[in-house]
Amino acid sequence: MNPFFTIPLFFFIILSLTPSYGYDSLDPYGNITVTWDFLADNGDTVDVKVSIYNFQLFRHVEQPGWRLGWAWTGDEVIWAMLGAEATEQGNCTRFRGQTKPHCCQKKPTIIDLMPGTPYNLQSANCCKGGVLTSITQDVSKYGATFQMNYRKASLIDYDPTDPPPPQEDGNFTMPQNFTLGIPGYSCGKPLQVPPTKITKDGKRWTQVLDTWNVTCMYSQFLASPAPKCCVSLSAFYYSTIVSCPTCSCNCQGLPGAICVNDDKIPPLLSLPQGNDTAQPLVRCSRHMCPIRVHWHVKQSYKEYWRVKITITNLNFVKNYSQWNLVVLHPNLRSVNRVFSFNYKPLPIYGNLNDTGMFWGLEYYNEMLLTHGKNGNVQTEILLHKNKEEFSFEEGWAFPRKISFNGDECVMPSPDHYPSLPDNAAHITTTTTTTTTSFIVLFSVLMLSILL
Ligand SMILES: *[C@@H]1O[C@H](CO)[C@@H](O)[C@H](O)[C@H]1NC(C)=O
Ligand SMILES: *[C@@H]1O[C@H](CO)[C@@H](O)[C@H](O)[C@H]1NC(C)=O
Ligand SMILES: *[C@@H]1O[C@H](CO)[C@@H](O)[C@H](O)[C@H]1NC(C)=O
Ligand SMILES: *[C@@H]1O[C@H](CO)[C@@H](O)[C@H](O)[C@H]1NC(C)=O
Ligand SMILES: *[C@@H]1O[C@H](CO)[C@@H](O)[C@H](O)[C@H]1NC(C)=O
Ligand SMILES: *[C@@H]1O[C@H](CO)[C@@H](O)[C@H](O)[C@H]1NC(C)=O
Ligand SMILES: *[C@@H]1O[C@H](CO)[C@@H](O)[C@H](O)[C@H]1NC(C)=O
Ligand SMILES: *[C@@H]1O[C@H](CO)[C@@H](O)[C@H](O)[C@H]1NC(C)=O
């Protein structure tokens, strides 16, 4: 091969393989923000309100939910909490009184309460079992709030029979090192921001004493270096199905690659159920992905064309609740109808209205059942043929990008896309160059694993 061709190709492949930490072109500003509002200074204790907002366009927080953690900078202890609870009380032996603190740990982990928690333990906007929707999906469920009262660090060993110590003049110390307890997220340092304003009646606004924000960002690579879904394609004018690329998510036979054949289902009844943190246990396939998205160009009319999308769950140990699918295709700006799914175009900055989000209809298909339960969900979409650009040629009818639950899916190589029958000669010529680039890609992959 000509070296002048190989070297740029090499760098191109390296660049395209480099994981983009925390950056997702479909949701460049997406983040989860933790807001820490100091509500009242009681001298020896402080009241705070902590809110978690999912400002991501499509990524949601699913079961088992967020587990907010931080590190106190001093000797603080949490006396009481409403709307959430610490997972452990910790060592509170030094408090000999009748009432023990809620949590004495230096690094507490806070979890949400379940819906239906008794009212005396609730706070406003609480108790969602740790689950947050994206801001696109449901503006009433993308945030959660809890309140707590904690004892200031400097006063822990203060004897209550002594006269009260001088009041600190309003400066509060923020805890550090926040974590969300969800794979893939990392949080920045707390930043002091203008105090949150609260209104009771919509007329008069009061403000809290101090507000700090912590911004947490998602990185698909941090969550899992291996992809979690792949895309297969077909069209009414093309006789074969273009399946997911081999080894999209894993390779059968590699050490650690576990899969199960369909005829082995009965023993699976003894599998741990309902443990969403468990590793996927996938059906054996050449792509080894837990999720496959199939895009079928179904029909062409004079003014419109029809696409069928099927999402198949090949994971034996997970029901995907509140799943979502994001698709990038230029014709999405002319969506006419979407059947059986919810649909919303995504307002991405500088976007050409070519990206949209699909999710399930409540009580109908918002849950994508496990493979053992024949899990798949389907939609058909009707798109208006835009005269200037519409075409069945050059793979135009296929999506540019697809992500499932916020993780990008592996697409077949564009050279393999179904093409119109009169393009048959063209297919064979492109296949050779694809094979060559696949060999190069494969060697580079092997090299990067070995080095
Ligand atoms: C976090 O999201 C909010 C809301 O979309 C946005 O205003 C803010 O700039 C984002 N923060 C970062 C650091 O991207
Ligand atoms: C802090 O977080 C709140 C959400 O609670 C958001 O409305 C606000 O814009 C953020 N402030 C800054 C400066 O990022
Ligand atoms: C926060 O994490 C940093 C780095 O791991 C560590 O040096 C620091 O002591 C931690 N802060 C607290 C309060 O634990
Ligand atoms: C709990 O803390 C006390 C001091 O506050 C210490 O003496 C004791 O050993 C601790 N217990 C455990 C189990 O760590
Ligand atoms: C409070 O914070 C301000 C700004 O960071 C600082 O100038 C001031 O000295 C602090 N006051 C106390 C009592 O720590
Ligand atoms: C998935 O949902 C089905 C039907 O609700 C249930 O029978 C099954 O146990 C669930 N599986 C898991 C792994 O949660
Ligand atoms: C879920 O699975 C993980 C890893 O397999 C395990 O550590 C954890 O204890 C399990 N949780 C439950 C509730 O079974
Ligand atoms: C995208 O859609 C919005 C709202 O429908 C419209 O105002 C805007 O002009 C569209 N942009 C493009 C590039 O088509």
Side-chain angles (χ1 to χ4, degrees):
M1 190 185 267
N2 183 342
F4 292 102
F5 171 63
T6 323
I7 291 168
L9 180 67
F10 182 85
F11 280 106
F12 170 74
I13 291 169
I14 292 287
L15 279 179
S16 55
L17 285 178
T18 310
S20 45
Y21 289 99
Y23 183 79
D24 180 348
S25 60
L26 295 177
D27 190 7
Y29 305 107
N31 65 72
I32 293 186
T33 298
V34 178
T35 297
W36 186 284
D37 287 315
F38 287 97
L39 298 179
D41 184 348
N42 312 316
D44 55 344
T45 67
V46 194
D47 292 330
V48 297
K49 183 176 85 178
V50 182
S51 310
I52 304 176
Y53 295 103
N54 182 10
F55 288 129
Q56 298 180 105
L57 288 176
F58 46 84
R59 207 168 285 111
H60 64 306
V61 176
E62 58 184 328
Q63 286 288 336
W66 52 264
R67 297 166 65 86
L68 185 67
W70 62 77
W72 293 116
T73 52
D75 242 356
E76 293 91 339
V77 293
I78 302 170
W79 275 114
M81 195 172 264
L82 286 178
E85 63 185 356
T87 52
E88 280 183 51
Q89 186 178 33
N91 181 356
C92 293
T93 48
R94 64 197 164 130
F95 296 90
R96 300 188 186 282
Q98 293 284 307
T99 48
K100 290 265 192 230
H102 178 78
C103 175
C104 302
Q105 286 190 307
K106 173 109 176 125
K107 293 181 179 171
T109 299
I110 313 300
I111 53 171
D112 202 359
L113 298 176
M114 285 297 160
T117 296
Y119 281 116
N120 60 335
L121 300 174
Q122 290 194 15
S123 67
N125 196 27
C126 82
C127 312
K128 296 166 182 176
V131 174
L132 302 174
T133 69
S134 63
I135 195 161
T136 311
Q137 210 162 328
D138 188 344
V139 283
S140 69
K141 293 189 187 137
Y142 78 102
T145 301
F146 63 88
Q147 290 202 23
M148 65 180 170
N149 171 267
Y150 68 85
R151 196 154 163 167
K152 285 181 187 167
S154 50
L155 295 164
I156 290 296
D157 298 318
Y158 160 72
D159 182 345
T161 55
D162 284 349
Q167 289 255 336
E168 292 182 13
D169 64 348
N171 284 13
F172 304 108
T173 55
M174 263 305 280
Q176 302 290 322
N177 297 354
F178 279 79
T179 52
L180 284 180
I182 315 165
Y185 288 88
S186 48
C187 302
K189 281 203 163 68
L191 278 181
Q192 191 163 11
V193 298
T196 305
K197 291 188 175 161
I198 319 174
T199 181
K200 281 213 169 68
D201 52 5
K203 289 181 199 140
R204 186 184 134 72
W205 292 80
T206 55
Q207 66 182 45
V208 304
L209 302 174
D210 254 338
T211 299
W212 295 70
N213 275 6
V214 179
T215 306
C216 307
M217 308 276 266
Y218 180 80
S219 149
Q220 179 171 349
F221 188 76
L222 264 186
S224 136
K228 293 177 195 146
C229 61
C230 63
V231 178
S232 56
L233 309 168
S234 60
F236 66 86
Y237 51 78
Y238 193 71
S239 57
T240 49
I241 292 177
V242 177
S243 41
C244 283
T246 304
C247 296
S248 290
C249 299
N250 208 337
C251 293
Q252 246 190 89
L254 274 190
I258 307 163
C259 67
V260 177
N261 285 309
D262 274 346
D263 53 2
K264 297 266 165 48
I265 292 178
L268 282 170
L269 294 175
S270 58
L271 279 172
Q273 297 277 305
N275 186 341
D276 281 311
T277 56
Q279 284 293 311
L281 181 61
V282 300
R283 194 184 80 175
C284 295
S285 63
R286 281 169 41 203
H287 57 79
M288 294 282 281
C289 292
I291 294 288
R292 182 186 61 216
V293 180
H294 185 76
W295 177 284
H296 176 62
V297 178
K298 190 176 177 187
Q299 231 165 336
S300 175
Y301 310 100
K302 191 155 168 281
E303 295 272 323
Y304 296 92
W305 60 298
R306 188 186 280 264
V307 171
K308 179 172 181 176
I309 305 175
T310 308
I311 311 174
T312 308
N313 183 356
L314 300 169
N315 186 351
F316 284 101
V317 290
K318 184 159 173 177
N319 290 323
Y320 293 84
S321 58
Q322 304 291 329
W323 57 269
N324 71 71
L325 191 76
V326 172
V327 176
L328 185 100
H329 188 284
N331 214 175
L332 283 183
R333 72 180 68 112
S334 314
V335 167
N336 182 267
R337 268 196 83 179
V338 173
F339 300 89
S340 338
F341 282 4
N342 283 302
Y343 175 76
K344 234 186 215 177
L346 288 183
I348 299 171
Y349 175 75
N351 160 281
L352 305 163
N353 297 342
D354 55 2
T355 311
M357 171 173 164
F358 299 86
W359 71 97
L361 299 176
E362 204 174 0
Y363 308 121
Y364 177 56
N365 57 9
E366 92 270 27
M367 176 87 104
L368 176 51
L369 290 179
T370 71
H371 178 64
K373 304 269 172 193
N374 218 354
N376 69 68
V377 289
Q378 301 184 334
T379 180
E380 292 200 3
I381 50 182
L382 197 60
L383 298 133
H384 185 247
K385 287 183 181 171
N386 188 338
K387 288 280 179 300
E388 299 92 65
E389 52 176 6
F390 178 81
S391 163
F392 280 129
E393 281 170 39
E394 310 274 347
W396 191 87
F398 296 100
R400 309 297 184 266
K401 222 180 224 189
I402 284 193
S403 76
F404 176 81
N405 276 359
D407 287 322
E408 203 173 321
C409 303
V410 179
M411 303 277 299
S413 149
D415 312 87
H416 291 151
Y417 280 20
S419 48
L420 285 172
D422 58 348
N423 271 10
H426 176 68
I427 306 169
T428 38
T429 49
T430 51
T431 319
T432 6
T433 49
T434 328
T435 318
T436 328
S437 44
F438 253 99
I439 292 168
V440 176
L441 180 78
F442 187 74
S443 350
V444 172
L445 255 174
M446 276 311 168
L447 261 177
S448 58
I449 290 168
L450 290 175
L451 292 181

